Amino acid sequence: MSQMDGPWKELEDDLRGIGARLTANLQLTTAQNAEIVRKSLVKHIQNQDLHWAKLNPRYLESKRRRRLSTAILIATSEFMQSITTQMSSDKLSAFVGVLRNAKRKDGEPGVLIAELHEFGSKARNIPARPLFRPTFAEIKPEVTDRFKAAIKEVLETTGT
């Protein structure tokens, strides 16, 4: 029978705490990523840079008469302000968007307005003006890289 030599006790000690350190790092990264996505969504609305269909001329004139913003997806800042983040109970996943129970000042559910704009409505003659899907696709590589870096950081500090 042979015996293996090496710093097994030190390795065991290092590995014992890796789960907790990894979880803590991933929770922090999840919260940071959620906020990055939220800010990206708001920035696209502010910058009007997702090449949405133009507003109907009659609707545009109506917005002018009512002294509302003539920008797409903005009448007031209410829609942008309704975009939020919410962490899951384990803090390892997050929701970014408009909450189902969020209501606009007029009582209309904010999530329905977000859905209407995201997918459009033929019945109401409103073209799709996607915000969430292109932003999520655009930001996915950055979010993925941040998670990889969080895992790598824990693994690299194990044993030091």
Side-chain angles (χ1 to χ4, degrees):
M1 180 185 265
S2 65
Q3 184 175 11
M4 292 180 42
D5 292 331
W8 303 116
K9 177 70 176 131
E10 293 169 20
L11 179 61
E12 182 182 350
D13 291 344
D14 287 343
L15 293 176
R16 186 172 294 117
I18 197 169
R21 289 192 314 272
L22 185 57
T23 298
N25 230 25
L26 289 174
Q27 288 171 330
L28 176 62
T29 303
T30 299
Q32 291 169 338
N33 280 339
E35 186 58 19
I36 287 168
V37 173
R38 187 197 66 76
K39 286 180 178 179
S40 294
L41 289 163
V42 170
K43 194 172 196 171
H44 279 309
I45 295 172
Q46 291 171 334
N47 292 343
Q48 301 281 291
D49 58 3
L50 289 179
H51 312 291
W52 296 310
K54 293 188 183 306
L55 295 175
N56 177 301
R58 288 189 325 174
Y59 178 61
L60 185 58
E61 185 53 39
S62 169
K63 286 179 84 172
R64 284 189 181 115
R65 276 195 317 273
R66 293 180 291 151
R67 297 177 192 243
L68 300 174
S69 169
T70 57
I72 296 170
L73 300 187
I74 304 174
T76 66
S77 61
E78 197 170 7
F79 179 61
M80 283 188 295
Q81 290 173 354
S82 71
I83 298 171
T84 189
T85 64
Q86 191 171 65
M87 298 298 292
S88 65
S89 58
D90 66 3
K91 297 185 171 109
L92 289 172
S93 62
F95 167 84
V96 181
V98 178
L99 296 172
R100 288 188 188 278
N101 61 354
K103 300 273 190 227
R104 296 182 345 166
K105 290 176 186 167
D106 63 5
E108 188 91 23
V111 71
L112 294 180
I113 302 302
E115 181 181 26
L116 175 70
H117 288 297
E118 188 74 15
F119 298 102
S121 169
K122 287 185 182 192
R124 295 175 69 179
N125 196 29
I126 298 173
R129 295 184 175 102
L131 168 65
F132 295 93
R133 292 173 292 157
T135 302
F136 292 161
E138 168 191 270
I139 206 81
K140 184 178 179 179
E142 180 182 348
V143 166
T144 301
D145 288 347
R146 291 174 61 79
F147 277 124
K148 286 178 183 177
I151 294 166
K152 185 177 179 183
E153 179 184 335
V154 171
L155 295 176
E156 287 178 346
T157 59
T158 298
T160 57

